[in-house]
Amino acid sequence: MADASDFRTAIKPVWCPGCGNFGILTALRGALADSGLEPNQVMIVSGIGCHGAVTQYVHANGFHSIHGRTLPVATGIKLANHELQVIAMAGDGDGYGIGIGHFIHAMRRNLDITLLVHNNKRYSLTTGQTSPTTEKGSSTKSTPFGVIEVPVNPLTLALSSGATYISRGFAGDPPHLRKLIADGIAHKGFALVDVLQPCITFNHVNTNAFYKEKVYKLGEDGDYDPTDMVAAYERAVEWGDRIPTGLLYKESRPTYEDEVMTIKDMPLVERPVVGVDISKTMEQFR
Ligand SMILES: Cc1ncc(C[n+]2csc(CCOP(=O)(O)OP(=O)(O)O)c2C)c(N)n1
Ligand code: SF4
């Protein structure tokens, strides 16, 4: 059985020393091992951004896609071979900005995909512009006088879009994040793991120290029922002296794959192709 080190590659991450992406990478490798998966059973799809390089650092199948299109690519892969464990990775710009339409539709479809969003509240790869989750009033390279809009709240959006597993982790607590990712993988249906990720270079507001002081785990201050949607909304809007992490909401609903007739008996990729010669097309992919 694979352990976390089996999901390592020989490539050294190029992220800034101290970047929250390291904690996410550690948690992901551990969660894949905890889930009893082998590298060949896993497909990691990333978008464009600092986070996007993650496909090079996890020993598994990988597809470094384009900005904002992580979920369409992940959806195509899942429908072509639903036996693969598909993990989609996105930045907050990628997932909650340009890709926000895909985010909503993937959740209402309830595909069995786990989405990890490296939410550092900045467009970091492009050197620190405002992203959809940047807090109102924050001064960034693109908004030197402060952001005017209120930020997107991915948790309330996920609740209202039909996500069946919604959690929030913190890159500064890899063991807790590892558990959330493994639970998201075990969940049958769309699982969102929004990760509070300090970007030490371009976000001097939401730092590691900022989060360390404020984050708490749901359930540690008394009973919390993750099947109670009203309670989940109340916690999803909590952002101030206290910031909740952990499993926010969970429900059970048939997946999209369960209801697609053509893949019910076998993955599409295994279905014989009859009446069309696709050998020339396949040759191009060798
Ligand atoms: C269609 C398209 N629009 C814009 C860009 C430029 N671009 C590259 S990365 C990026 C933002 C990255 O921010 P985020 O998704 O939050 O990821 P991070 O770098 O913070 O991990 C942008 C706007 C692009 N590559 N493609
Ligand atoms: S710019 Fe920010 S998100 Fe990108 S590698 Fe550096 S610390 Fe990480």
Side-chain angles (χ1 to χ4, degrees):
M1 208 168 96
D3 64 27
S5 64
D6 293 314
F7 290 95
R8 282 180 169 272
T9 65
I11 303 170
K12 199 168 172 275
V14 292
W15 295 320
C16 310
C19 173
N21 282 334
F22 286 101
I24 302 175
L25 179 61
T26 302
L28 173 64
R29 287 182 183 140
L32 294 172
D34 295 346
S35 305
L37 293 160
E38 298 294 331
N40 67 330
Q41 298 175 301
V42 178
M43 169 59 88
I44 313 272
V45 184
S46 65
I48 300 294
C50 290
H51 71 278
V54 72
T55 44
Q56 299 166 45
Y57 312 144
V58 180
H59 176 58
N61 299 294
F63 195 127
H64 193 165
S65 71
I66 53 173
H67 192 47
R69 308 294 178 237
T70 313
L71 282 171
V73 172
T75 299
I77 292 169
K78 189 73 190 177
L79 290 177
N81 186 359
H82 62 274
E83 284 179 355
L84 276 175
Q85 191 69 54
V86 179
I87 315 281
M89 319 276 285
D92 44 296
D94 199 274
Y96 304 147
I98 187 171
I100 197 166
H102 304 304
F103 178 57
I104 292 170
H105 293 299
M107 290 187 289
R108 70 186 186 87
R109 282 188 191 115
N110 199 31
L111 287 143
D112 190 15
I113 289 174
T114 305
L115 171 67
L116 259 73
V117 182
H118 300 227
N119 187 352
N120 57 25
K121 301 180 179 287
R122 295 291 183 276
Y123 285 173
S124 292
L125 186 70
T126 46
T127 68
Q129 295 85 356
T130 288
S131 91
T133 54
T134 308
E135 287 172 43
K136 183 171 167 62
S138 298
S139 164
T140 75
K141 182 177 270 188
S142 58
T143 53
F145 304 111
V147 178
I148 294 172
E149 304 99 316
V150 294
V152 165
N153 182 330
L155 304 184
T156 53
L157 188 57
L159 280 166
S160 59
S161 303
T164 51
Y165 176 100
I166 305 169
S167 68
R168 181 197 270 147
F170 169 41
D173 186 351
H176 182 234
L177 181 58
R178 173 175 179 157
K179 167 96 176 65
L180 293 174
I181 300 171
D183 288 352
I185 290 172
H187 173 71
K188 203 164 176 299
F190 190 91
L192 168 67
V193 187
D194 177 68
V195 189
L196 304 172
Q197 181 232 321
C199 165
I200 58 150
T201 306
F202 296 114
N203 187 338
H204 302 296
V205 180
N206 311 106
T207 59
N208 209 40
F210 169 96
Y211 286 126
K212 279 235 152 88
E213 193 192 312
K214 298 171 193 299
V215 293
Y216 73 93
K217 297 186 178 80
L218 288 164
E220 75 181 7
D221 58 349
D223 284 349
Y224 177 76
D225 175 7
T227 64
D228 179 345
M229 192 180 265
V230 175
Y233 266 102
E234 277 170 11
R235 300 296 183 121
V237 294
E238 191 179 9
W239 186 274
D241 291 343
R242 282 164 57 78
I243 299 174
T245 60
L247 175 61
L248 184 79
Y249 183 71
K250 190 174 160 124
E251 72 172 68
S252 179
R253 205 173 77 227
T255 63
Y256 189 82
E257 304 89 288
D258 284 340
E259 301 197 26
V260 177
M261 301 242 301
T262 41
I263 60 173
K264 267 197 169 138
D265 48 345
M266 71 175 88
L268 201 57
V269 74
E270 280 168 24
R271 192 171 282 283
V273 180
V274 242
V276 198
D277 180 10
I278 60 161
S279 55
K280 280 204 178 115
T281 309
M282 293 307 286
E283 202 52 48
Q284 293 173 16
F285 291 100
R286 277 186 212 288

